[in-house]
Amino acid sequence: MKASIEIIKNIKQNWKLSMKLAGNDFRTKFAGSYLGIVWAFIQPIVTILVYWFVFQVGLRNVAAADETYPYVFRLICGIIPWFFFAEAISGGATGFLDYSYLVKQVVFNISIIPFIKVVSAIFVHLFFVLFTIILLAINGFYPDIYYLQILYYMAATFILSLGLAYLFSSIVVFFRDMKQIINIIIIQTGVWITPIMWDAESTLSPTLLKIFKLNPVYYLVDGYRDCLLYDRFFWQGKGMWTIYFWVATILIFMFGASVYKRSRPHFADLL
Protein backbone atom coordinates (compact mmCIF):
# COMPACT_ATOMS: atom_id res chain seq x y z
CA MET A 1 0.00 0.00 0.00
CA LYS A 2 2.81 2.43 0.85
CA ALA A 3 4.52 1.79 -2.47
CA SER A 4 1.26 2.44 -4.34
CA ILE A 5 0.62 5.70 -2.48
CA GLU A 6 4.19 6.81 -3.14
CA ILE A 7 3.80 6.24 -6.89
CA ILE A 8 0.50 8.12 -6.98
CA LYS A 9 2.07 11.07 -5.14
CA ASN A 10 5.04 11.14 -7.53
CA ILE A 11 2.75 11.12 -10.55
CA LYS A 12 0.72 13.98 -9.10
CA GLN A 13 3.83 16.04 -8.30
CA ASN A 14 5.31 15.48 -11.77
CA TRP A 15 2.07 15.68 -13.76
CA LYS A 16 3.11 18.37 -16.28
CA LEU A 17 6.49 16.78 -16.90
CA SER A 18 4.86 13.37 -17.37
CA MET A 19 2.41 14.71 -19.96
CA LYS A 20 5.21 16.43 -21.86
CA LEU A 21 7.38 13.32 -21.88
CA ALA A 22 4.43 11.12 -22.88
CA GLY A 23 3.77 13.30 -25.93
CA ASN A 24 7.42 13.19 -26.84
CA ASP A 25 7.51 9.41 -26.35
CA PHE A 26 4.58 9.00 -28.74
CA ARG A 27 6.20 11.13 -31.44
CA THR A 28 9.63 9.53 -31.21
CA LYS A 29 8.29 5.98 -31.73
CA PHE A 30 8.06 6.65 -35.44
CA ALA A 31 10.81 9.22 -35.83
CA GLY A 32 12.72 8.84 -39.08
CA SER A 33 9.90 7.19 -41.07
CA TYR A 34 8.24 9.08 -43.91
CA LEU A 35 4.71 8.67 -42.59
CA GLY A 36 5.69 9.31 -38.97
CA ILE A 37 2.91 8.81 -36.42
CA VAL A 38 0.52 7.72 -39.19
CA TRP A 39 1.98 4.23 -38.71
CA ALA A 40 0.47 4.19 -35.22
CA PHE A 41 -2.98 4.15 -36.82
CA ILE A 42 -2.24 2.00 -39.88
CA GLN A 43 -1.26 -1.13 -37.93
CA PRO A 44 -4.51 -1.37 -35.88
CA ILE A 45 -6.65 -0.65 -38.95
CA VAL A 46 -4.92 -3.38 -40.96
CA THR A 47 -5.34 -5.80 -38.05
CA ILE A 48 -9.07 -5.07 -37.83
CA LEU A 49 -9.49 -5.59 -41.58
CA VAL A 50 -7.66 -8.93 -41.46
CA TYR A 51 -9.74 -10.21 -38.51
CA TRP A 52 -12.94 -8.99 -40.14
CA PHE A 53 -12.12 -10.77 -43.41
CA VAL A 54 -11.13 -14.03 -41.70
CA PHE A 55 -14.17 -14.27 -39.44
CA GLN A 56 -16.81 -12.59 -41.58
CA VAL A 57 -15.85 -14.21 -44.87
CA GLY A 58 -13.83 -17.29 -43.97
CA LEU A 59 -15.53 -18.37 -40.73
CA ARG A 60 -19.08 -17.10 -41.03
CA ASN A 61 -20.49 -19.42 -38.36
CA VAL A 62 -18.28 -17.85 -35.72
CA ALA A 63 -19.07 -14.32 -36.85
CA ALA A 64 -22.80 -15.03 -36.92
CA ALA A 65 -22.99 -15.97 -33.23
CA ASP A 66 -24.71 -12.62 -32.55
CA GLU A 67 -26.67 -11.26 -35.50
CA THR A 68 -28.04 -8.25 -33.63
CA TYR A 69 -25.21 -6.07 -34.91
CA PRO A 70 -22.85 -6.41 -37.89
CA TYR A 71 -19.83 -8.46 -36.91
CA VAL A 72 -17.41 -5.69 -37.78
CA PHE A 73 -19.02 -3.38 -35.17
CA ARG A 74 -18.69 -5.96 -32.41
CA LEU A 75 -15.13 -6.62 -33.50
CA ILE A 76 -14.10 -2.96 -33.44
CA CYS A 77 -15.82 -2.21 -30.12
CA GLY A 78 -14.08 -5.18 -28.53
CA ILE A 79 -10.65 -4.76 -30.04
CA ILE A 80 -10.03 -1.05 -29.38
CA PRO A 81 -9.58 -1.55 -25.60
CA TRP A 82 -7.34 -4.53 -26.38
CA PHE A 83 -5.12 -2.41 -28.63
CA PHE A 84 -4.76 0.11 -25.80
CA PHE A 85 -4.04 -2.57 -23.21
CA ALA A 86 -1.53 -4.42 -25.42
CA GLU A 87 0.36 -1.26 -26.38
CA ALA A 88 0.41 -0.03 -22.78
CA ILE A 89 1.87 -3.19 -21.25
CA SER A 90 4.24 -3.81 -24.17
CA GLY A 91 5.59 -0.27 -24.14
CA GLY A 92 5.46 -0.03 -20.36
CA ALA A 93 7.52 -3.19 -19.95
CA THR A 94 10.50 -1.59 -21.71
CA GLY A 95 10.10 1.78 -20.02
CA PHE A 96 13.21 1.62 -17.86
CA LEU A 97 15.24 0.20 -20.73
CA ASP A 98 14.12 2.94 -23.11
CA TYR A 99 14.86 5.64 -20.55
CA SER A 100 17.98 4.09 -19.06
CA TYR A 101 19.79 7.43 -19.38
CA LEU A 102 17.22 8.96 -17.02
CA VAL A 103 17.33 6.03 -14.61
CA LYS A 104 21.01 6.74 -14.03
CA GLN A 105 20.31 10.36 -13.14
CA VAL A 106 19.86 10.70 -9.40
CA VAL A 107 17.79 13.88 -9.71
CA PHE A 108 15.13 12.35 -11.99
CA ASN A 109 12.13 10.64 -10.42
CA ILE A 110 12.04 7.40 -12.37
CA SER A 111 8.75 6.25 -10.83
CA ILE A 112 6.87 8.23 -13.51
CA ILE A 113 8.42 6.33 -16.44
CA PRO A 114 5.84 3.49 -16.62
CA PHE A 115 3.12 6.13 -16.29
CA ILE A 116 4.61 8.02 -19.24
CA LYS A 117 4.51 4.87 -21.37
CA VAL A 118 0.87 4.13 -20.57
CA VAL A 119 -0.18 7.73 -21.26
CA SER A 120 1.69 7.54 -24.57
CA ALA A 121 -0.43 4.52 -25.53
CA ILE A 122 -3.71 6.31 -24.88
CA PHE A 123 -3.31 8.81 -27.74
CA VAL A 124 -4.05 6.25 -30.46
CA HIS A 125 -6.82 4.82 -28.30
CA LEU A 126 -8.61 8.17 -28.17
CA PHE A 127 -8.49 8.35 -31.97
CA PHE A 128 -10.02 4.89 -32.36
CA VAL A 129 -12.75 5.59 -29.81
CA LEU A 130 -13.71 8.70 -31.81
CA PHE A 131 -13.42 6.75 -35.07
CA THR A 132 -15.73 4.03 -33.71
CA ILE A 133 -18.33 6.53 -32.51
CA ILE A 134 -18.38 8.22 -35.94
CA LEU A 135 -18.56 4.86 -37.74
CA LEU A 136 -21.50 3.74 -35.60
CA ALA A 137 -23.29 7.07 -36.11
CA ILE A 138 -22.90 6.82 -39.89
CA ASN A 139 -24.61 3.44 -39.72
CA GLY A 140 -27.51 4.63 -37.57
CA PHE A 141 -26.21 3.90 -34.07
CA TYR A 142 -26.16 7.35 -32.51
CA PRO A 143 -24.43 8.38 -29.25
CA ASP A 144 -26.55 8.26 -26.10
CA ILE A 145 -26.11 8.43 -22.34
CA TYR A 146 -24.49 4.99 -22.26
CA TYR A 147 -21.50 6.38 -24.18
CA LEU A 148 -20.45 8.32 -21.07
CA GLN A 149 -19.31 5.00 -19.62
CA ILE A 150 -16.43 5.01 -22.09
CA LEU A 151 -14.62 7.29 -19.64
CA TYR A 152 -15.16 4.75 -16.87
CA TYR A 153 -13.91 1.81 -18.93
CA MET A 154 -11.01 3.85 -20.29
CA ALA A 155 -9.94 4.70 -16.74
CA ALA A 156 -10.30 1.06 -15.73
CA THR A 157 -8.12 -0.05 -18.66
CA PHE A 158 -5.57 2.62 -17.79
CA ILE A 159 -5.27 1.57 -14.14
CA LEU A 160 -5.01 -2.14 -14.95
CA SER A 161 -2.37 -1.43 -17.61
CA LEU A 162 -0.45 0.86 -15.28
CA GLY A 163 -0.21 -1.77 -12.56
CA LEU A 164 1.08 -4.33 -15.04
CA ALA A 165 3.48 -1.75 -16.53
CA TYR A 166 5.15 -1.23 -13.14
CA LEU A 167 5.33 -4.98 -12.60
CA PHE A 168 6.66 -5.93 -16.04
CA SER A 169 9.06 -2.99 -16.38
CA SER A 170 10.68 -3.91 -13.07
CA ILE A 171 11.03 -7.57 -14.04
CA VAL A 172 12.44 -6.78 -17.51
CA VAL A 173 15.43 -4.98 -15.99
CA PHE A 174 16.50 -8.27 -14.41
CA PHE A 175 15.03 -10.72 -16.92
CA ARG A 176 15.14 -9.38 -20.49
CA ASP A 177 13.29 -12.40 -21.88
CA MET A 178 10.19 -11.03 -20.20
CA LYS A 179 9.77 -8.73 -23.22
CA GLN A 180 9.35 -11.75 -25.48
CA ILE A 181 6.99 -13.44 -23.02
CA ILE A 182 4.76 -10.36 -23.07
CA ASN A 183 4.77 -9.84 -26.84
CA ILE A 184 4.69 -13.46 -27.99
CA ILE A 185 2.74 -15.25 -25.27
CA ILE A 186 0.63 -12.77 -23.28
CA ILE A 187 -0.42 -10.46 -26.13
CA GLN A 188 -0.63 -13.00 -28.95
CA THR A 189 -2.51 -15.53 -26.82
CA GLY A 190 -4.55 -13.03 -24.85
CA VAL A 191 -6.31 -11.61 -27.89
CA TRP A 192 -7.84 -15.04 -28.51
CA ILE A 193 -8.80 -16.02 -24.97
CA THR A 194 -10.21 -12.65 -23.92
CA PRO A 195 -12.29 -13.24 -26.22
CA ILE A 196 -12.67 -10.61 -28.92
CA MET A 197 -13.18 -12.31 -32.28
CA TRP A 198 -15.74 -14.84 -31.07
CA ASP A 199 -18.77 -14.87 -28.79
CA ALA A 200 -17.89 -16.67 -25.55
CA GLU A 201 -21.36 -16.54 -24.00
CA SER A 202 -22.97 -18.50 -26.84
CA THR A 203 -20.03 -20.87 -27.27
CA LEU A 204 -18.74 -21.84 -23.82
CA SER A 205 -20.37 -23.80 -21.03
CA PRO A 206 -21.35 -21.79 -17.91
CA THR A 207 -18.43 -23.20 -15.94
CA LEU A 208 -15.86 -22.48 -18.63
CA LEU A 209 -17.32 -19.01 -19.14
CA LYS A 210 -16.73 -18.20 -15.46
CA ILE A 211 -13.09 -19.24 -15.88
CA PHE A 212 -12.70 -16.98 -18.92
CA LYS A 213 -14.19 -14.08 -16.98
CA LEU A 214 -11.34 -14.29 -14.49
CA ASN A 215 -9.36 -12.45 -17.16
CA PRO A 216 -9.80 -8.75 -16.20
CA VAL A 217 -9.49 -7.63 -19.83
CA TYR A 218 -12.63 -9.62 -20.68
CA TYR A 219 -14.54 -7.25 -18.38
CA LEU A 220 -13.18 -4.25 -20.29
CA VAL A 221 -13.97 -5.68 -23.74
CA ASP A 222 -17.48 -6.57 -22.63
CA GLY A 223 -17.85 -3.11 -21.11
CA TYR A 224 -16.91 -1.24 -24.27
CA ARG A 225 -19.50 -3.25 -26.17
CA ASP A 226 -22.09 -2.57 -23.48
CA CYS A 227 -21.79 1.20 -23.76
CA LEU A 228 -21.25 1.44 -27.53
CA LEU A 229 -23.65 -1.26 -28.76
CA TYR A 230 -25.81 -2.95 -26.17
CA ASP A 231 -26.97 0.07 -24.12
CA ARG A 232 -26.20 -1.39 -20.71
CA PHE A 233 -24.75 0.30 -17.64
CA PHE A 234 -21.80 -1.36 -15.95
CA TRP A 235 -23.87 -2.24 -12.86
CA GLN A 236 -26.62 -3.99 -14.83
CA GLY A 237 -26.24 -7.73 -14.42
CA LYS A 238 -22.52 -7.58 -13.67
CA GLY A 239 -22.27 -6.19 -10.13
CA MET A 240 -20.14 -9.03 -8.76
CA TRP A 241 -18.03 -9.08 -11.92
CA THR A 242 -17.34 -5.36 -11.45
CA ILE A 243 -16.32 -5.91 -7.83
CA TYR A 244 -14.04 -8.77 -8.87
CA PHE A 245 -12.43 -6.64 -11.60
CA TRP A 246 -11.59 -3.77 -9.24
CA VAL A 247 -10.31 -6.04 -6.49
CA ALA A 248 -8.06 -7.82 -9.00
CA THR A 249 -6.93 -4.52 -10.58
CA ILE A 250 -6.09 -2.89 -7.24
CA LEU A 251 -4.17 -5.97 -6.11
CA ILE A 252 -2.24 -6.03 -9.40
CA PHE A 253 -1.40 -2.34 -9.03
CA MET A 254 -0.27 -2.79 -5.42
CA PHE A 255 1.82 -5.82 -6.34
CA GLY A 256 3.39 -4.02 -9.30
CA ALA A 257 4.20 -1.00 -7.12
CA SER A 258 5.73 -3.25 -4.46
CA VAL A 259 7.93 -5.09 -6.97
CA TYR A 260 9.04 -1.75 -8.41
CA LYS A 261 9.92 -0.34 -4.98
CA ARG A 262 11.98 -3.39 -4.05
CA SER A 263 13.75 -3.50 -7.40
CA ARG A 264 14.43 0.22 -7.88
CA PRO A 265 17.73 0.41 -5.94
CA HIS A 266 19.32 -2.05 -8.40
CA PHE A 267 18.19 -0.44 -11.67
CA ALA A 268 21.14 1.87 -12.18
CA ASP A 269 23.67 -0.94 -11.77
CA LEU A 270 21.89 -3.25 -14.22
CA LEU A 271 21.19 -0.61 -16.85
Side-chain angles (χ1 to χ4, degrees), residues 76-258:
I76 294 175
C77 292
I79 207 169
I80 55 175
W82 175 262
F83 282 150
F84 175 30
F85 173 77
E87 176 63 24
I89 64 170
S90 177
T94 60
F96 295 126
L97 299 182
D98 296 341
Y99 289 94
S100 58
Y101 60 95
L102 292 178
V103 175
K104 298 175 183 179
Q105 294 184 16
V106 180
V107 295
F108 185 80
N109 193 332
I110 65 171
S111 64
I112 66 173
I113 290 179
F115 176 76
I116 290 169
K117 286 290 188 176
V118 178
V119 172
S120 174
I122 207 171
F123 295 135
V124 175
H125 181 64
L126 292 173
F127 165 81
F128 275 102
V129 168
L130 180 60
F131 169 79
T132 302
I133 292 174
I134 294 174
L135 180 64
L136 290 172
I138 291 174
N139 288 273
F141 303 100
Y142 301 107
D144 51 32
I145 191 172
Y146 298 98
Y147 277 45
L148 296 176
Q149 294 180 109
I150 294 175
L151 298 176
Y152 162 74
Y153 285 111
M154 194 180 299
T157 308
F158 187 93
I159 296 171
L160 174 62
S161 303
L162 187 61
L164 291 172
Y166 277 101
L167 174 63
F168 292 151
S169 61
S170 301
I171 295 175
V172 165
V173 175
F174 298 88
F175 181 58
R176 303 298 172 91
D177 287 354
M178 190 65 194
K179 293 187 296 182
Q180 309 306 324
I181 293 175
I182 294 170
N183 293 323
I184 297 176
I185 299 179
I186 296 179
I187 292 178
Q188 296 297 326
T189 304
V191 72
W192 295 103
I193 65 174
T194 298
I196 295 171
M197 271 70 72
W198 52 285
D199 186 2
E201 294 191 3
S202 64
T203 305
L204 302 177
S205 66
T207 301
L208 195 55
L209 182 61
K210 289 180 180 179
I211 295 175
F212 269 64
K213 285 186 174 181
L214 293 177
N215 173 8
V217 187
Y218 187 174
Y219 173 82
L220 300 171
V221 169
D222 191 72
Y224 269 74
R225 285 172 173 159
D226 279 350
C227 59
L228 291 172
L229 290 179
Y230 302 134
D231 292 344
R232 288 196 295 256
F233 289 111
F234 69 87
W235 60 80
Q236 291 181 311
K238 55 197 309 183
M240 292 304 298
W241 196 10
T242 298
I243 293 173
Y244 163 76
F245 170 82
W246 282 110
V247 169
T249 297
I250 291 172
L251 290 176
I252 289 172
F253 185 85
M254 292 174 61
F255 181 63
S258 177

